[in-house]
Amino acid sequence: MKELDWIAEAKKHLGKREVGNTNTSKDIEQWQEYLLNTPIKKGHYLYGVPWCGTFVAYCLKKCGIAIPTNWFRALDYTTKGTLLKAPCYGCVAIKTRKGGGHVTFVVGKTKQGKLVCLGGNQGNSVCYATYDVNSFNEFRWYGRTSTPLQERYNLPVLSVTANNVTEW
């Protein structure tokens, strides 16, 4: 199966981190500047904001995929894309958390059945993280077609090192 452009883009950024617990770094600022087409500096409303939505939006937009208006708000990802009944490879997974939400890309599952997700602001970095499938409120398809290929529902079993991490 051909790799999805936005997942290939996300993989390019594995290991990129925020500085300390600040929700910012040169990379995060560059992603925000690309999305807004304006410089991000201290005092800007996005400076220091949790950045999982920024990362997902950056990867999608770089590949020509439409993103939500308020892409920096994780829960705004429920307003676009096609609602799915189950997770599939490359879909956006959306969950609530204390203080807001979290978004990430589904890229596989573990032998034990947990989802393996690739996203930003997972343990303050771009990394793979595992989640219980029931921890997500929604799964949405943001591809170039309105629905994913049926074969994308057959999630690969991954042996990548993934962490149970807290989203901030």
Side-chain angles (χ1 to χ4, degrees):
M1 186 168 30
K2 183 180 180 291
E3 180 63 279
L4 297 167
D5 295 346
W6 59 94
I7 299 301
E9 181 64 36
K11 288 178 179 178
K12 290 179 193 175
H13 304 283
L14 277 164
K16 293 193 175 175
R17 307 187 57 79
E18 65 185 59
V19 177
N21 273 339
T22 63
N23 280 316
T24 194
S25 72
K26 287 287 185 203
D27 293 310
I28 296 165
E29 290 170 27
Q30 288 173 350
W31 300 333
Q32 292 167 334
E33 288 173 1
Y34 172 80
L35 292 161
L36 289 173
N37 198 27
T38 190
I40 303 294
K41 301 208 182 303
K42 211 170 199 173
H44 187 278
Y45 73 96
L46 284 182
Y47 188 85
V49 168
W51 53 279
C52 61
T54 293
F55 181 72
V56 168
Y58 177 81
C59 294
L60 292 171
K61 187 173 179 181
K62 283 288 279 188
C63 299
I65 307 291
I67 57 176
T69 303
N70 294 312
W71 45 264
F72 50 92
R73 292 193 172 128
L75 299 180
D76 206 51
Y77 283 81
T78 63
T79 66
K80 299 274 187 198
T82 303
L83 181 62
L84 304 174
K85 292 184 180 185
C88 71
Y89 186 88
C91 76
V92 174
I94 306 144
K95 69 188 288 293
T96 55
R97 64 167 178 81
K98 186 178 179 181
H102 182 64
V103 288
T104 186
F105 295 115
V106 174
V107 294
K109 64 183 178 182
T110 65
K111 290 179 191 173
Q112 297 76 24
K114 287 191 171 212
L115 290 180
V116 177
C117 298
L118 171 57
N121 207 19
Q122 298 182 152
N124 299 339
S125 69
V126 176
C127 68
Y128 294 101
T130 58
Y131 298 91
D132 289 324
V133 68
N134 295 329
S135 69
F136 290 102
N137 302 74
E138 291 187 10
F139 300 99
R140 291 204 170 244
W141 181 251
Y142 273 83
R144 291 186 180 89
T145 58
S146 61
T147 57
L149 294 173
Q150 192 61 38
E151 61 204 37
R152 297 213 182 272
Y153 287 97
N154 298 321
L155 293 172
V157 176
L158 299 179
S159 59
V160 297
T161 302
N163 302 312
N164 281 314
V165 298
T166 302
E167 320 81 37
W168 301 103

